[in-house]
Amino acid sequence: MTETGSGGTPLLTRAVVVAQKEHTEDAYVSPVSIWEMAIKHRIGKLALPTEDVESAIAEQGFRW
């Protein structure tokens, strides 16, 4: 089972979601990762399930 975005695109595998929820420390996402996602999306190498990537990341339990 996977967590999915609005288009049914897998965001995180169930194992990652479970591990992240069981972990008591904060998990952070680098702004550089978001920048890389934006570049790949712009050149057509990455389909994003939403335009609001910041909110989607926060909904998955990650912090900046």
Side-chain angles (χ1 to χ4, degrees), residues 3-57:
E3 296 290 318
T4 57
S6 61
T9 306
L11 298 177
L12 298 173
T13 65
R14 186 176 194 285
V16 172
V17 172
V18 169
Q20 195 267 333
K21 287 181 180 177
E22 290 177 354
H23 197 60
T24 58
E25 295 179 23
D26 293 333
Y28 290 89
V29 174
S30 166
V32 174
S33 296
I34 307 306
W35 179 46
E36 290 173 341
M37 290 170 58
I39 291 170
K40 289 184 182 224
H41 178 69
R42 186 174 57 236
I43 64 175
K45 290 191 172 189
L46 177 65
L48 296 176
T50 180
E51 297 261 335
D52 190 4
V53 175
E54 184 176 350
S55 292
I57 290 170

